[in-house]
């Protein structure tokens, strides 16, 4: 599988995760979201940007439980809960948001 | 606890490290040599002196099927090493667990 | 909180120790161990990590694996705290044999001597060796 963006072909795995993390761009996230009929608001970008920073620091995509806790610490308890994150990312905050953020699938994600 | 070593002491330091930790434990700890680890129980190996002490205390076991596979006769081993089969391996874990594998 | 539930939970929590004895990049053991540890965090057990022999080298500061085209997973040990895995034991004798101290490590740890490490091992319910 692959995604076409500005004449460039970006390969993905069968679940839609990009394989070369350096090929990520905000435009790519927008294209992925459009394919899911999902509009990316400022609230979505808060989570996507957090994930990219987390990956940059620790070299892994966080488990959902860890993401939820860390978002709570960073953005406040009204955002650090499953309900809020699942409303933003109905396919699952770790799976869907990590994919838009250009990260690998979280370790231990089932 | 039960320790297993599966590498020859002539090749790696796994047996040495295992013995240093085992010495710090109670007399309830046991050592089972498996796979290439069985070469450590050869009477001619440099490890024989230390292992003899353990064998004399009845704390050293060697896995028989791994000896046979390597053509090592029981007579070539240090005195007091007890040879066990796979069932004996399982029984050692039951009796002396937890099990640390020095892989 | 319900007392009965607490008792049930306590009886099913086991002490798991992951024993790391291999240097980081020459073999896959260290990375595999780390992945298993991260997955195990989801099961709410009493998890600890032990680093001895060449395993202490996994935590060494300043690793840069770009040029050998390997993943640099040393920073991931710093994520363990966020996974509620806070018991990292490092053997003093193993550090000393490699000219290292706790200051050379990427993450805060508890440095223990060999006798203490041996005791910690014997106190576990399950030991996973890498």
């Amino acid at each position: 599988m692959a995604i076409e963006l500005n004449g460039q072909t970006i390969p993905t795995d069968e679940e839609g995760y990009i394989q070369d993390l350096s090929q990520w761009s905000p435009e790519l996230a927008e294209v992925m979201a459009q394919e899911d009929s999902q509009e990316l608001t400022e609230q979505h970008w808060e989570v996507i940007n957090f994930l990219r920073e987390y990956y940059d620091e620790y070299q892994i995509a966080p488990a959902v439980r860890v993401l939820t806790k860390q978002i709570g610490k960073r953005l406040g308890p009204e955002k650090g809960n499953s309900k809020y994150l699942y409303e933003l990312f109905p396919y699952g905050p770790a799976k869907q948001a990590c994919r838009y953020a250009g990260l690998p699938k979280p370790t231990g994600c089932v | 606890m039960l320790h297993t070593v599966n590498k020859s002491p002539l090749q790696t330091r796994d047996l040495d490290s295992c013995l240093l930790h085992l010495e710090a434990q109670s007399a309830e700890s046991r050592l089972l040599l498996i796979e290439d680890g069985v070469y450590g129980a050869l009477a001619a190996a440099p490890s024989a002196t230390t292992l003899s002490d353990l064998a004399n205390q009845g704390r050293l076991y060697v896995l028989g099927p791994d000896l046979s596979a390597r053509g090592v006769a029981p007579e070539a081993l240090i005195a007091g090493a007890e040879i066990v089969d796979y069932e004996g391996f399982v029984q050692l874990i039951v009796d002396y667990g937890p099990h640390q594998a020095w892989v | 909180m319900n007392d009965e539930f607490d008792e049930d939970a306590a009886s099913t929590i086991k002490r798991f120790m992951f024993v790391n004895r291999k240097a980081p990049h020459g073999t896959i053991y260290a990375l595999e161990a780390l992945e298993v540890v991260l997955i195990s965090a989801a099961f709410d057990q009493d998890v600890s990590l032990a680093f001895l022999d060449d395993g202490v080298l996994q935590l060494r500061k300043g690793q840069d694996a770009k040029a050998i085209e390997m993943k640099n997973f040393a920073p991931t040990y710093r994520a363990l705290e966020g996974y509620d895995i806070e018991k990292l034991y490092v053997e003093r004798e193993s550090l000393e044999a490699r000219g290292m101290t706790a200051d050379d490590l990427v993450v805060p740890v508890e440095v223990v001597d060999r006798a203490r490490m041996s005791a910690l091992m014997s106190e576990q319910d399950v030991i996973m060796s890498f």
Side-chain angles (χ1 to χ4, degrees), chain C residues 57 59-63 100 102-107:
Chain C
L57 299 167
L59 301 179
R60 193 179 177 110
K61 275 181 189 164
Q63 297 177 47
M100 293 162 69
D103 292 340
D104 296 308
L105 308 180
V106 294
V107 70

Side-chain angles (χ1 to χ4, degrees), chain A residues 36-49:
Chain A
D36 295 339
S37 308
Q38 169 88 58
E39 194 190 335
L40 293 185
T41 64
E42 199 180 313
Q43 285 73 33
H44 290 93
W45 278 106
E46 277 180 343
V47 177
I48 294 170
N49 289 331

Side-chain angles (χ1 to χ4, degrees), chain A residues 43 46-47 67-68 71-72 75-82 84-85:
Chain A
Q43 285 73 33
E46 277 180 343
V47 177
L67 170 68
T68 309
I71 287 280
L75 303 172
E78 71 282 5
K79 295 183 177 176
N81 61 76
S82 311
Y84 174 81
L85 292 170

Side-chain angles (χ1 to χ4, degrees), chain A residues 7-60:
Chain A
Q8 201 192 353
T9 304
I10 299 171
T12 69
D13 67 13
E14 67 272 17
E15 290 178 283
Y17 292 82
I18 61 168
Q19 287 162 313
D20 178 353
L21 308 191
S22 69
Q23 291 182 314
W24 185 86
S25 63
E27 293 88 336
L28 181 70
E30 296 284 1
V31 171
M32 285 176 163
Q34 273 166 26
E35 287 178 1
D36 295 339
S37 308
Q38 169 88 58
E39 194 190 335
L40 293 185
T41 64
E42 199 180 313
Q43 285 73 33
H44 290 93
W45 278 106
E46 277 180 343
V47 177
I48 294 170
N49 289 331
F50 171 83
L51 282 169
R52 291 194 57 82
E53 283 170 37
Y54 186 95
Y55 189 85
D56 194 48
E57 186 167 355
Y58 299 120
Q59 300 296 303
I60 49 165

Side-chain angles (χ1 to χ4, degrees), chain B residues 1-3 7 13-15 17-18 20-25 97-103, chain C residues 19 21-22 29 52-53 91 114-115 117-119 121-130:
Chain B
M1 68 182 286
L2 176 68
H3 301 263
K7 306 285 193 315
R13 291 188 35 80
D14 297 294
L15 178 63
S17 187
C18 170
L20 287 170
H21 290 84
L22 189 144
E23 279 163 16
Q25 292 175 341
H99 167 216
Q100 155 69 4
W102 296 81
V103 290
Chain C
V19 175
R21 297 183 50 246
K22 300 278 199 294
Y29 285 92
L52 56 151
D53 297 332
E91 191 173 277
R114 185 182 289 136
M117 185 63 92
S118 298
M121 282 181 176
S122 59
E123 289 164 9
Q124 303 302 313
D125 291 304
V126 180
I127 301 176
M128 310 279 277
S129 316
F130 293 89

Side-chain angles (χ1 to χ4, degrees), chain B residues 27 29-31 52-61 80 82 96:
Chain B
S29 55
R30 295 289 185 276
L31 171 60
S52 283
D53 291 342
L54 270 185
N56 290 331
Q57 297 163 22
R59 297 164 67 192
L60 177 67
Y61 303 84
E82 187 178 328
Y96 298 108

Side-chain angles (χ1 to χ4, degrees), chain A residues 54-63 65-66 69-70 104 107-108, chain C residues 35 38-39 41-42 44 71-73 75-76 78-79 81-84:
Chain A
Y54 186 95
Y55 189 85
D56 194 48
E57 186 167 355
Y58 299 120
Q59 300 296 303
I60 49 165
R65 185 173 61 87
V66 177
K69 198 169 70 175
Q70 301 291 336
T107 300
Chain C
E35 294 199 337
L38 290 169
I39 292 166
D44 289 326
K71 184 180 170 75
N72 180 23
F73 52 92
T76 308
R78 289 202 291 261
E81 194 190 359
Y83 282 73
D84 298 320

Side-chain angles (χ1 to χ4, degrees), chain B residues 71-92:
Chain B
V72 178
E75 298 75 44
L77 303 184
I78 54 175
E82 187 178 328
I83 298 172
V84 296
D85 55 14
Y86 289 116
E87 215 171 286
F89 188 168
V90 175
Q91 194 58 46
L92 284 171

